[in-house]
Amino acid sequence: MGDLPGAVPGATVAAVVPCKDEADRIAATVRAVASLPGVARVVVVDDGSSDDTARVAREAGADVVRHERNRGKAAALETGVRRVRELDAADAGRVRPAAGAAALLFVDGDLQETAANLGVLTTPVLDGTADMTIATLPAQLTTGGGRGLVVNLARDGIRRLTGFTAVQPLSGMRCLSPRAFESATPLARGWGVETALTVDVLRAGLTVVEVPCELQHRVSGSDWRGQLHRAGQYRDVWLALVRRGWRPWHRG
């Protein structure tokens, strides 16, 4: 049977896992991601952890890059993709023609064993039916402390800028073709990265598809740390949208 139009023959996936202080969860996440069909490498970016995240991830089989200080999710993703390209180039010189990863899989470090369900994101990108897939998650076992303000901000901004109504606009689990990633670089700062990815990929004329995925992760609580986290998210999402032309003060 021939390859589908737009499909990548012999395609491989490179997973990038940005994380901070996930020593208790990262090993299970790495092992689950590495078990996915088509995943050729797992790169973990330890974004300034104060625990043993880097050591645990390395022992679980990941290639690990460490930021000495916390630089934010967007910087961690960019570091991870650079590392993937370095590894691809090194492999090309040793054992195979220069092809590189056919898809990039972005994975949060706290998914643990449920990361084994991420294969539903890679298939549409590898077979050419989507340029970026976004995981939509079921109800979480632990209820978060937010009121949906950041989600609503991101959803409304994306819709106004592109016409696309996202079910879960802040989902960090995504699979992208190299073309989709390039269309969104440089990535928006911090927690605005997911919202900006959606806007930039759609504006490039590429296809974005949300895919239900059975994932469970650690949610932010209602204590002061959770509130600070959500305030930072709101700031970064707002900035990402405004820098792409969203004008919340113009409601026409």
Side-chain angles (χ1 to χ4, degrees), residues 93-148:
R94 287 197 299 264
V95 297
R96 58 191 173 114
L104 295 165
L105 181 64
F106 294 162
V107 183
D108 287 351
D110 60 356
L111 298 178
Q112 298 183 275
E113 291 83 358
T114 68
N117 297 321
L118 286 167
V120 294
L121 296 184
T122 63
T123 300
V125 175
L126 295 177
D127 70 19
T129 59
D131 297 288
M132 181 170 74
T133 53
I134 305 171
T136 59
L137 281 61
Q140 298 295 283
L141 297 177
T142 303
T143 303
R147 299 180 179 179

Side-chain angles (χ1 to χ4, degrees), residues 17-32 34 42-47 49 51-66 109:
V17 187
C19 58
K20 180 179 184 293
D21 295 331
E22 293 290 0
D24 292 340
R25 302 171 181 84
I26 193 64
T29 302
V30 168
R31 288 192 291 266
V42 181
V43 173
V44 168
V45 181
D46 178 357
D47 192 27
S49 292
D51 64 9
D52 289 332
T53 293
R55 177 186 61 80
V56 173
R58 191 174 291 111
E59 290 176 355
D63 185 274
V64 178
V65 184
R66 175 171 166 76

Side-chain angles (χ1 to χ4, degrees), residues 1-220:
M1 181 177 179
D3 293 311
L4 294 170
V8 182
T12 58
V13 178
V16 176
V17 187
C19 58
K20 180 179 184 293
D21 295 331
E22 293 290 0
D24 292 340
R25 302 171 181 84
I26 193 64
T29 302
V30 168
R31 288 192 291 266
V33 173
S35 73
L36 292 168
V39 170
R41 63 176 93 257
V42 181
V43 173
V44 168
V45 181
D46 178 357
D47 192 27
S49 292
S50 59
D51 64 9
D52 289 332
T53 293
R55 177 186 61 80
V56 173
R58 191 174 291 111
E59 290 176 355
D63 185 274
V64 178
V65 184
R66 175 171 166 76
H67 291 168
E68 289 303 315
R69 60 177 179 83
N70 182 253
R71 293 169 52 191
K73 189 171 187 180
L77 288 171
E78 289 177 334
T79 293
V81 173
R82 281 196 299 272
R83 181 58 176 161
V84 165
R85 290 173 175 170
E86 290 170 0
L87 294 171
D88 283 346
D91 283 353
R94 287 197 299 264
V95 297
R96 58 191 173 114
L104 295 165
L105 181 64
F106 294 162
V107 183
D108 287 351
D110 60 356
L111 298 178
Q112 298 183 275
E113 291 83 358
T114 68
N117 297 321
L118 286 167
V120 294
L121 296 184
T122 63
T123 300
V125 175
L126 295 177
D127 70 19
T129 59
D131 297 288
M132 181 170 74
T133 53
I134 305 171
T136 59
L137 281 61
Q140 298 295 283
L141 297 177
T142 303
T143 303
R147 299 180 179 179
L149 296 178
V150 185
V151 170
N152 290 334
L153 172 70
R155 183 181 294 126
D156 183 64
I158 292 169
R159 180 178 57 80
R160 289 180 177 275
L161 289 172
T162 69
F164 179 81
T165 300
V167 175
Q168 292 185 6
L170 301 180
S171 175
M173 280 59 70
R174 298 175 181 230
C175 187
L176 295 83
S177 68
R179 180 172 61 163
F181 180 77
E182 293 302 327
S183 74
T185 54
L187 300 179
R189 60 166 284 182
W191 300 109
V193 62
E194 290 92 0
T195 301
L197 269 172
T198 303
V199 172
D200 292 343
V201 172
L202 286 168
R203 282 182 160 178
L206 304 178
T207 303
V208 175
V209 178
E210 290 185 296
V211 182
C213 193
E214 291 296 322
L215 304 171
Q216 293 287 327
H217 70 107
R218 178 168 48 85
V219 298
S220 299

